[in-house]
mmCIF file of all heavy atoms in Angstrom:
data_model
loop_
_atom_site.group_PDB
_atom_site.id
_atom_site.type_symbol
_atom_site.label_atom_id
_atom_site.label_comp_id
_atom_site.label_asym_id
_atom_site.label_seq_id
_atom_site.Cartn_x
_atom_site.Cartn_y
_atom_site.Cartn_z
ATOM 1 N N TYR A 1 10.415 1.726 0.307
ATOM 2 C CA TYR A 1 9.783 2.652 1.243
ATOM 3 C C TYR A 1 8.304 2.397 1.530
ATOM 4 O O TYR A 1 7.732 3.021 2.437
ATOM 5 C CB TYR A 1 9.948 4.088 0.739
ATOM 6 C CG TYR A 1 11.374 4.566 0.784
ATOM 7 C CD1 TYR A 1 12.152 4.619 -0.387
ATOM 8 C CD2 TYR A 1 11.971 4.933 1.972
ATOM 9 C CE1 TYR A 1 13.472 5.052 -0.348
ATOM 10 C CE2 TYR A 1 13.290 5.376 2.036
ATOM 11 C CZ TYR A 1 14.021 5.421 0.852
ATOM 12 O OH TYR A 1 15.328 5.846 0.903
ATOM 13 N N PHE A 2 7.654 1.496 0.775
ATOM 14 C CA PHE A 2 6.224 1.261 0.983
ATOM 15 C C PHE A 2 5.890 -0.172 1.414
ATOM 16 O O PHE A 2 4.778 -0.438 1.845
ATOM 17 C CB PHE A 2 5.445 1.556 -0.313
ATOM 18 C CG PHE A 2 5.370 3.001 -0.695
ATOM 19 C CD1 PHE A 2 6.447 3.661 -1.261
ATOM 20 C CD2 PHE A 2 4.197 3.734 -0.514
ATOM 21 C CE1 PHE A 2 6.370 4.996 -1.635
ATOM 22 C CE2 PHE A 2 4.103 5.062 -0.892
ATOM 23 C CZ PHE A 2 5.194 5.694 -1.447
ATOM 24 N N TYR A 3 6.839 -1.071 1.312
ATOM 25 C CA TYR A 3 6.549 -2.506 1.416
ATOM 26 C C TYR A 3 6.411 -2.971 2.864
ATOM 27 O O TYR A 3 7.184 -2.586 3.732
ATOM 28 C CB TYR A 3 7.664 -3.290 0.733
ATOM 29 C CG TYR A 3 7.498 -4.786 0.717
ATOM 30 C CD1 TYR A 3 6.326 -5.368 0.266
ATOM 31 C CD2 TYR A 3 8.526 -5.621 1.166
ATOM 32 C CE1 TYR A 3 6.180 -6.741 0.249
ATOM 33 C CE2 TYR A 3 8.378 -7.005 1.154
ATOM 34 C CZ TYR A 3 7.205 -7.560 0.686
ATOM 35 O OH TYR A 3 7.058 -8.914 0.681
ATOM 36 N N ASP A 4 5.400 -3.796 3.098
ATOM 37 C CA ASP A 4 5.219 -4.491 4.380
ATOM 38 C C ASP A 4 5.527 -5.954 4.148
ATOM 39 O O ASP A 4 4.714 -6.693 3.583
ATOM 40 C CB ASP A 4 3.792 -4.311 4.882
ATOM 41 C CG ASP A 4 3.524 -5.072 6.182
ATOM 42 O OD1 ASP A 4 4.488 -5.602 6.766
ATOM 43 O OD2 ASP A 4 2.347 -5.134 6.598
ATOM 44 N N GLU A 5 6.683 -6.398 4.599
ATOM 45 C CA GLU A 5 7.127 -7.762 4.321
ATOM 46 C C GLU A 5 6.330 -8.791 5.101
ATOM 47 O O GLU A 5 6.344 -9.983 4.767
ATOM 48 C CB GLU A 5 8.615 -7.913 4.628
ATOM 49 C CG GLU A 5 8.996 -7.650 6.060
ATOM 50 C CD GLU A 5 10.494 -7.711 6.270
ATOM 51 O OE1 GLU A 5 11.257 -7.657 5.285
ATOM 52 O OE2 GLU A 5 10.912 -7.820 7.439
ATOM 53 N N VAL A 6 5.614 -8.380 6.138
ATOM 54 C CA VAL A 6 4.811 -9.322 6.909
ATOM 55 C C VAL A 6 3.608 -9.792 6.090
ATOM 56 O O VAL A 6 3.287 -10.972 6.054
ATOM 57 C CB VAL A 6 4.326 -8.668 8.234
ATOM 58 C CG1 VAL A 6 3.384 -9.604 8.989
ATOM 59 C CG2 VAL A 6 5.547 -8.320 9.103
ATOM 60 N N GLU A 7 2.936 -8.855 5.425
ATOM 61 C CA GLU A 7 1.718 -9.191 4.672
ATOM 62 C C GLU A 7 1.926 -9.248 3.177
ATOM 63 O O GLU A 7 0.962 -9.491 2.431
ATOM 64 C CB GLU A 7 0.607 -8.178 5.003
ATOM 65 C CG GLU A 7 0.147 -8.274 6.464
ATOM 66 C CD GLU A 7 -1.126 -7.487 6.721
ATOM 67 O OE1 GLU A 7 -1.435 -6.576 5.927
ATOM 68 O OE2 GLU A 7 -1.795 -7.781 7.715
ATOM 69 N N ASN A 8 3.143 -9.013 2.715
ATOM 70 C CA ASN A 8 3.409 -9.030 1.277
ATOM 71 C C ASN A 8 2.492 -8.076 0.504
ATOM 72 O O ASN A 8 1.978 -8.398 -0.564
ATOM 73 C CB ASN A 8 3.282 -10.444 0.693
ATOM 74 C CG ASN A 8 4.451 -11.326 1.065
ATOM 75 O OD1 ASN A 8 5.602 -10.879 1.031
ATOM 76 N ND2 ASN A 8 4.186 -12.559 1.441
ATOM 77 N N LEU A 9 2.307 -6.894 1.078
ATOM 78 C CA LEU A 9 1.541 -5.843 0.426
ATOM 79 C C LEU A 9 2.245 -4.513 0.677
ATOM 80 O O LEU A 9 3.158 -4.441 1.500
ATOM 81 C CB LEU A 9 0.106 -5.786 0.956
ATOM 82 C CG LEU A 9 -0.841 -6.925 0.549
ATOM 83 C CD1 LEU A 9 -2.137 -6.831 1.329
ATOM 84 C CD2 LEU A 9 -1.124 -6.936 -0.940
ATOM 85 N N PHE A 10 1.783 -3.488 -0.006
ATOM 86 C CA PHE A 10 2.378 -2.174 0.142
ATOM 87 C C PHE A 10 1.426 -1.253 0.904
ATOM 88 O O PHE A 10 0.216 -1.265 0.669
ATOM 89 C CB PHE A 10 2.678 -1.563 -1.230
ATOM 90 C CG PHE A 10 3.742 -2.301 -1.983
ATOM 91 C CD1 PHE A 10 3.398 -3.234 -2.960
ATOM 92 C CD2 PHE A 10 5.085 -2.078 -1.720
ATOM 93 C CE1 PHE A 10 4.383 -3.915 -3.665
ATOM 94 C CE2 PHE A 10 6.070 -2.749 -2.432
ATOM 95 C CZ PHE A 10 5.732 -3.674 -3.386
ATOM 96 N N TYR A 11 2.011 -0.457 1.779
ATOM 97 C CA TYR A 11 1.237 0.607 2.417
ATOM 98 C C TYR A 11 0.891 1.669 1.391
ATOM 99 O O TYR A 11 1.569 1.842 0.380
ATOM 100 C CB TYR A 11 2.035 1.241 3.550
ATOM 101 C CG TYR A 11 2.204 0.373 4.762
ATOM 102 C CD1 TYR A 11 3.450 -0.205 5.060
ATOM 103 C CD2 TYR A 11 1.140 0.138 5.629
ATOM 104 C CE1 TYR A 11 3.619 -1.000 6.186
ATOM 105 C CE2 TYR A 11 1.300 -0.657 6.764
ATOM 106 C CZ TYR A 11 2.542 -1.226 7.027
ATOM 107 O OH TYR A 11 2.700 -2.004 8.143
ATOM 108 N N PHE A 12 -0.175 2.418 1.688
ATOM 109 C CA PHE A 12 -0.565 3.496 0.792
ATOM 110 C C PHE A 12 0.400 4.678 0.885
ATOM 111 O O PHE A 12 0.546 5.446 -0.069
ATOM 112 C CB PHE A 12 -1.988 3.959 1.126
ATOM 113 C CG PHE A 12 -2.596 4.877 0.100
ATOM 114 C CD1 PHE A 12 -3.006 4.408 -1.133
ATOM 115 C CD2 PHE A 12 -2.753 6.226 0.361
ATOM 116 C CE1 PHE A 12 -3.551 5.245 -2.085
ATOM 117 C CE2 PHE A 12 -3.298 7.084 -0.575
ATOM 118 C CZ PHE A 12 -3.686 6.582 -1.812
ATOM 119 N N THR A 13 1.049 4.810 2.020
ATOM 120 C CA THR A 13 1.964 5.922 2.252
ATOM 121 C C THR A 13 3.394 5.434 2.439
ATOM 122 O O THR A 13 3.637 4.324 2.897
ATOM 123 C CB THR A 13 1.562 6.738 3.495
ATOM 124 O OG1 THR A 13 1.470 5.848 4.625
ATOM 125 C CG2 THR A 13 0.225 7.424 3.298
ATOM 126 N N SER A 14 4.332 6.291 2.120
ATOM 127 C CA SER A 14 5.757 5.991 2.278
ATOM 128 C C SER A 14 6.168 6.003 3.744
ATOM 129 O O SER A 14 5.507 6.599 4.596
ATOM 130 C CB SER A 14 6.569 7.053 1.504
ATOM 131 O OG SER A 14 7.925 7.022 1.876
ATOM 132 N N ASP A 15 7.278 5.310 4.019
ATOM 133 C CA ASP A 15 7.848 5.375 5.366
ATOM 134 C C ASP A 15 8.140 6.814 5.782
ATOM 135 O O ASP A 15 8.180 7.125 6.975
ATOM 136 C CB ASP A 15 9.163 4.578 5.420
ATOM 137 C CG ASP A 15 8.960 3.086 5.256
ATOM 138 O OD1 ASP A 15 7.815 2.623 5.406
ATOM 139 O OD2 ASP A 15 9.944 2.380 4.962
ATOM 140 N N ASN A 16 8.403 7.667 4.800
ATOM 141 C CA ASN A 16 8.777 9.056 5.086
ATOM 142 C C ASN A 16 7.585 9.997 5.203
ATOM 143 O O ASN A 16 7.767 11.189 5.439
ATOM 144 C CB ASN A 16 9.713 9.577 3.987
ATOM 145 C CG ASN A 16 10.995 8.761 3.890
ATOM 146 O OD1 ASN A 16 11.537 8.339 4.913
ATOM 147 N ND2 ASN A 16 11.479 8.545 2.687
ATOM 148 N N ALA A 17 6.373 9.477 5.023
ATOM 149 C CA ALA A 17 5.189 10.341 5.001
ATOM 150 C C ALA A 17 4.792 10.755 6.409
ATOM 151 O O ALA A 17 5.253 10.196 7.409
ATOM 152 C CB ALA A 17 4.028 9.602 4.327
ATOM 153 N N GLU A 18 3.905 11.741 6.475
ATOM 154 C CA GLU A 18 3.361 12.200 7.756
ATOM 155 C C GLU A 18 2.733 11.015 8.495
ATOM 156 O O GLU A 18 2.011 10.197 7.918
ATOM 157 C CB GLU A 18 2.286 13.261 7.485
ATOM 158 C CG GLU A 18 1.554 13.739 8.726
ATOM 159 C CD GLU A 18 0.373 14.669 8.387
ATOM 160 O OE1 GLU A 18 0.175 14.960 7.186
ATOM 161 O OE2 GLU A 18 -0.312 15.083 9.324
ATOM 162 N N LYS A 19 2.982 10.927 9.792
ATOM 163 C CA LYS A 19 2.429 9.842 10.613
ATOM 164 C C LYS A 19 1.026 10.223 11.045
ATOM 165 O O LYS A 19 0.805 11.192 11.771
ATOM 166 C CB LYS A 19 3.322 9.602 11.828
ATOM 167 C CG LYS A 19 4.758 9.222 11.485
ATOM 168 C CD LYS A 19 4.840 7.938 10.648
ATOM 169 C CE LYS A 19 6.275 7.519 10.390
ATOM 170 N NZ LYS A 19 6.934 8.313 9.341
ATOM 171 N N LEU A 20 0.045 9.455 10.583
ATOM 172 C CA LEU A 20 -1.357 9.690 10.914
ATOM 173 C C LEU A 20 -1.809 8.663 11.950
ATOM 174 O O LEU A 20 -1.010 7.843 12.412
ATOM 175 C CB LEU A 20 -2.188 9.601 9.655
ATOM 176 C CG LEU A 20 -1.787 10.560 8.518
ATOM 177 C CD1 LEU A 20 -2.595 10.279 7.265
ATOM 178 C CD2 LEU A 20 -1.962 12.015 8.970
ATOM 179 N N ILE A 21 -3.089 8.694 12.321
ATOM 180 C CA ILE A 21 -3.567 7.786 13.363
ATOM 181 C C ILE A 21 -3.608 6.331 12.887
ATOM 182 O O ILE A 21 -3.756 5.412 13.704
ATOM 183 C CB ILE A 21 -4.966 8.204 13.862
ATOM 184 C CG1 ILE A 21 -5.996 8.146 12.715
ATOM 185 C CG2 ILE A 21 -4.923 9.566 14.505
ATOM 186 C CD1 ILE A 21 -7.422 8.286 13.199
ATOM 187 N N ALA A 22 -3.500 6.105 11.586
ATOM 188 C CA ALA A 22 -3.437 4.749 11.054
ATOM 189 C C ALA A 22 -2.668 4.789 9.739
ATOM 190 O O ALA A 22 -2.621 5.813 9.062
ATOM 191 C CB ALA A 22 -4.844 4.196 10.814
ATOM 192 N N ARG A 23 -2.045 3.669 9.416
ATOM 193 C CA ARG A 23 -1.348 3.543 8.131
ATOM 194 C C ARG A 23 -2.021 2.416 7.366
ATOM 195 O O ARG A 23 -1.984 1.254 7.769
ATOM 196 C CB ARG A 23 0.129 3.235 8.347
ATOM 197 C CG ARG A 23 0.972 3.378 7.075
ATOM 198 C CD ARG A 23 2.432 3.101 7.339
ATOM 199 N NE ARG A 23 3.226 3.299 6.133
ATOM 200 C CZ ARG A 23 4.479 2.873 5.990
ATOM 201 N NH1 ARG A 23 5.091 2.214 6.985
ATOM 202 N NH2 ARG A 23 5.123 3.094 4.852
ATOM 203 N N LYS A 24 -2.649 2.774 6.251
ATOM 204 C CA LYS A 24 -3.551 1.866 5.574
ATOM 205 C C LYS A 24 -2.920 1.200 4.350
ATOM 206 O O LYS A 24 -1.930 1.700 3.798
ATOM 207 C CB LYS A 24 -4.823 2.603 5.136
ATOM 208 C CG LYS A 24 -5.511 3.403 6.243
ATOM 209 C CD LYS A 24 -5.951 2.512 7.391
ATOM 210 C CE LYS A 24 -7.076 1.577 6.976
ATOM 211 N NZ LYS A 24 -7.482 0.700 8.123
ATOM 212 N N LYS A 25 -3.556 0.116 3.942
ATOM 213 C CA LYS A 25 -3.237 -0.530 2.677
ATOM 214 C C LYS A 25 -4.523 -0.572 1.848
ATOM 215 O O LYS A 25 -5.599 -0.778 2.377
ATOM 216 C CB LYS A 25 -2.723 -1.955 2.886
ATOM 217 C CG LYS A 25 -1.461 -2.061 3.709
ATOM 218 C CD LYS A 25 -0.953 -3.502 3.699
ATOM 219 C CE LYS A 25 0.256 -3.670 4.626
ATOM 220 N NZ LYS A 25 -0.167 -3.875 6.029
ATOM 221 N N GLU A 26 -4.372 -0.406 0.556
ATOM 222 C CA GLU A 26 -5.522 -0.377 -0.358
ATOM 223 C C GLU A 26 -5.453 -1.606 -1.264
ATOM 224 O O GLU A 26 -4.511 -1.744 -2.029
ATOM 225 C CB GLU A 26 -5.471 0.911 -1.191
ATOM 226 C CG GLU A 26 -6.605 1.064 -2.178
ATOM 227 C CD GLU A 26 -6.397 2.248 -3.105
ATOM 228 O OE1 GLU A 26 -5.325 2.304 -3.759
ATOM 229 O OE2 GLU A 26 -7.271 3.099 -3.165
ATOM 230 N N PHE A 27 -6.461 -2.489 -1.153
ATOM 231 C CA PHE A 27 -6.408 -3.654 -2.045
ATOM 232 C C PHE A 27 -7.735 -4.003 -2.691
ATOM 233 O O PHE A 27 -7.808 -4.904 -3.532
ATOM 234 C CB PHE A 27 -5.832 -4.881 -1.332
ATOM 235 C CG PHE A 27 -6.576 -5.327 -0.099
ATOM 236 C CD1 PHE A 27 -7.768 -5.996 -0.169
ATOM 237 C CD2 PHE A 27 -6.029 -5.104 1.151
ATOM 238 C CE1 PHE A 27 -8.422 -6.428 0.952
ATOM 239 C CE2 PHE A 27 -6.683 -5.526 2.299
ATOM 240 C CZ PHE A 27 -7.885 -6.200 2.201
ATOM 241 N N PHE A 28 -8.820 -3.312 -2.362
ATOM 242 C CA PHE A 28 -10.083 -3.529 -3.063
ATOM 243 C C PHE A 28 -10.117 -2.695 -4.338
ATOM 244 O O PHE A 28 -9.896 -1.485 -4.309
ATOM 245 C CB PHE A 28 -11.269 -3.178 -2.183
ATOM 246 C CG PHE A 28 -11.592 -4.195 -1.131
ATOM 247 C CD1 PHE A 28 -11.522 -3.869 0.210
ATOM 248 C CD2 PHE A 28 -11.946 -5.488 -1.484
ATOM 249 C CE1 PHE A 28 -11.792 -4.804 1.194
ATOM 250 C CE2 PHE A 28 -12.236 -6.435 -0.511
ATOM 251 C CZ PHE A 28 -12.159 -6.091 0.833
ATOM 252 N N ASP A 29 -10.398 -3.344 -5.478
ATOM 253 C CA ASP A 29 -10.537 -2.639 -6.757
ATOM 254 C C ASP A 29 -11.908 -1.976 -6.805
ATOM 255 O O ASP A 29 -12.930 -2.623 -6.548
ATOM 256 C CB ASP A 29 -10.388 -3.614 -7.922
ATOM 257 C CG ASP A 29 -9.004 -4.224 -7.963
ATOM 258 O OD1 ASP A 29 -8.026 -3.502 -7.781
ATOM 259 O OD2 ASP A 29 -8.913 -5.452 -8.185
ATOM 260 N N ASN A 30 -11.916 -0.714 -7.136
ATOM 261 C CA ASN A 30 -13.166 0.023 -7.198
ATOM 262 C C ASN A 30 -13.253 0.669 -8.577
ATOM 263 O O ASN A 30 -12.852 0.066 -9.573
ATOM 264 C CB ASN A 30 -13.233 1.062 -6.068
ATOM 265 C CG ASN A 30 -14.651 1.418 -5.694
ATOM 266 O OD1 ASN A 30 -15.412 1.936 -6.492
ATOM 267 N ND2 ASN A 30 -15.021 1.122 -4.449
ATOM 268 N N VAL A 31 -13.801 1.878 -8.658
ATOM 269 C CA VAL A 31 -13.813 2.605 -9.922
ATOM 270 C C VAL A 31 -12.383 2.710 -10.458
ATOM 271 O O VAL A 31 -12.120 2.493 -11.649
ATOM 272 C CB VAL A 31 -14.438 4.000 -9.736
ATOM 273 C CG1 VAL A 31 -14.330 4.801 -11.022
ATOM 274 C CG2 VAL A 31 -15.902 3.859 -9.326
ATOM 275 N N ILE A 32 -11.456 3.047 -9.573
ATOM 276 C CA ILE A 32 -10.037 2.969 -9.877
ATOM 277 C C ILE A 32 -9.492 1.686 -9.261
ATOM 278 O O ILE A 32 -9.784 1.402 -8.097
ATOM 279 C CB ILE A 32 -9.267 4.182 -9.312
ATOM 280 C CG1 ILE A 32 -9.787 5.480 -9.915
ATOM 281 C CG2 ILE A 32 -7.775 4.066 -9.579
ATOM 282 C CD1 ILE A 32 -9.108 6.726 -9.361
ATOM 283 N N PRO A 33 -8.725 0.884 -9.985
ATOM 284 C CA PRO A 33 -8.146 -0.317 -9.383
ATOM 285 C C PRO A 33 -7.298 0.029 -8.162
ATOM 286 O O PRO A 33 -6.708 1.097 -8.084
ATOM 287 C CB PRO A 33 -7.288 -0.893 -10.516
ATOM 288 C CG PRO A 33 -7.860 -0.335 -11.756
ATOM 289 C CD PRO A 33 -8.402 1.012 -11.404
ATOM 290 N N ALA A 34 -7.242 -0.892 -7.217
ATOM 291 C CA ALA A 34 -6.471 -0.674 -6.010
ATOM 292 C C ALA A 34 -4.989 -0.512 -6.350
ATOM 293 O O ALA A 34 -4.457 -1.186 -7.225
ATOM 294 C CB ALA A 34 -6.652 -1.851 -5.057
ATOM 295 N N SER A 35 -4.342 0.373 -5.604
ATOM 296 C CA SER A 35 -2.925 0.629 -5.853
ATOM 297 C C SER A 35 -2.094 -0.638 -5.677
ATOM 298 O O SER A 35 -1.101 -0.832 -6.401
ATOM 299 C CB SER A 35 -2.415 1.730 -4.933
ATOM 300 O OG SER A 35 -2.802 1.518 -3.604
ATOM 301 N N ASN A 36 -2.471 -1.523 -4.763
ATOM 302 C CA ASN A 36 -1.722 -2.768 -4.599
ATOM 303 C C ASN A 36 -1.893 -3.694 -5.787
ATOM 304 O O ASN A 36 -0.934 -4.359 -6.201
ATOM 305 C CB ASN A 36 -2.127 -3.467 -3.301
ATOM 306 C CG ASN A 36 -1.191 -3.166 -2.152
ATOM 307 O OD1 ASN A 36 -0.034 -3.583 -2.139
ATOM 308 N ND2 ASN A 36 -1.681 -2.423 -1.171
ATOM 309 N N SER A 37 -3.078 -3.753 -6.353
ATOM 310 C CA SER A 37 -3.278 -4.649 -7.503
ATOM 311 C C SER A 37 -2.541 -4.127 -8.727
ATOM 312 O O SER A 37 -1.990 -4.900 -9.513
ATOM 313 C CB SER A 37 -4.773 -4.821 -7.818
ATOM 314 O OG SER A 37 -5.365 -3.632 -8.307
ATOM 315 N N VAL A 38 -2.504 -2.799 -8.908
ATOM 316 C CA VAL A 38 -1.752 -2.221 -10.024
ATOM 317 C C VAL A 38 -0.264 -2.486 -9.819
ATOM 318 O O VAL A 38 0.463 -2.837 -10.755
ATOM 319 C CB VAL A 38 -2.019 -0.718 -10.154
ATOM 320 C CG1 VAL A 38 -1.203 -0.107 -11.290
ATOM 321 C CG2 VAL A 38 -3.502 -0.451 -10.394
ATOM 322 N N MET A 39 0.195 -2.339 -8.568
ATOM 323 C CA MET A 39 1.610 -2.569 -8.276
ATOM 324 C C MET A 39 1.968 -4.038 -8.515
ATOM 325 O O MET A 39 3.074 -4.343 -9.013
ATOM 326 C CB MET A 39 1.899 -2.168 -6.836
ATOM 327 C CG MET A 39 3.341 -1.826 -6.570
ATOM 328 S SD MET A 39 3.925 -0.409 -7.524
ATOM 329 C CE MET A 39 5.478 -1.067 -8.132
ATOM 330 N N ALA A 40 1.083 -4.934 -8.180
ATOM 331 C CA ALA A 40 1.336 -6.363 -8.434
ATOM 332 C C ALA A 40 1.466 -6.633 -9.931
ATOM 333 O O ALA A 40 2.346 -7.405 -10.362
ATOM 334 C CB ALA A 40 0.227 -7.211 -7.825
ATOM 335 N N GLN A 41 0.600 -6.021 -10.720
ATOM 336 C CA GLN A 41 0.688 -6.172 -12.184
ATOM 337 C C GLN A 41 2.027 -5.621 -12.688
ATOM 338 O O GLN A 41 2.683 -6.224 -13.538
ATOM 339 C CB GLN A 41 -0.449 -5.409 -12.853
ATOM 340 C CG GLN A 41 -1.821 -5.967 -12.544
ATOM 341 C CD GLN A 41 -2.506 -6.590 -13.746
ATOM 342 O OE1 GLN A 41 -1.857 -6.929 -14.734
ATOM 343 N NE2 GLN A 41 -3.800 -6.738 -13.677
ATOM 344 N N ASN A 42 2.447 -4.467 -12.139
ATOM 345 C CA ASN A 42 3.722 -3.891 -12.554
ATOM 346 C C ASN A 42 4.877 -4.824 -12.248
ATOM 347 O O ASN A 42 5.785 -5.008 -13.069
ATOM 348 C CB ASN A 42 3.941 -2.552 -11.839
ATOM 349 C CG ASN A 42 2.969 -1.477 -12.261
ATOM 350 O OD1 ASN A 42 2.359 -1.554 -13.322
ATOM 351 N ND2 ASN A 42 2.796 -0.468 -11.420
ATOM 352 N N LEU A 43 4.873 -5.368 -11.038
ATOM 353 C CA LEU A 43 5.953 -6.267 -10.624
ATOM 354 C C LEU A 43 5.998 -7.489 -11.524
ATOM 355 O O LEU A 43 7.087 -7.981 -11.882
ATOM 356 C CB LEU A 43 5.766 -6.667 -9.169
ATOM 357 C CG LEU A 43 6.091 -5.576 -8.150
ATOM 358 C CD1 LEU A 43 5.430 -5.888 -6.806
ATOM 359 C CD2 LEU A 43 7.606 -5.432 -7.974
#
C-alpha cells in the first residue's frame, strides 16, 4: 500500500489515505531517521 515501484521508495502515506495536494516521500535522515531508511533496514 505504500510502495512506488518507479523510484523504489515508499510514500509517506498509504494508497488508502486522504488525498492531499501532494504525496510525499521522506528520505533525509534528521533528528528522527527517515521512514524510508528505517524501512530499508527492516527489509
Side-chain angles (χ1 to χ4, degrees):
Y1 292 103
F2 290 76
Y3 182 52
D4 177 8
E5 61 185 16
V6 175
E7 294 191 340
N8 285 319
L9 288 171
F10 294 98
Y11 289 108
F12 191 73
T13 55
S14 166
D15 292 344
N16 300 323
E18 175 187 358
K19 301 300 184 284
L20 303 174
I21 61 169
R23 192 179 183 194
K24 308 300 292 180
K25 300 187 185 83
E26 180 188 55
F27 58 76
F28 284 118
D29 297 316
N30 205 299
V31 174
I32 299 178
S35 48
N36 263 291
S37 68
V38 179
M39 203 62 227
Q41 295 248 19
N42 293 339
L43 286 160

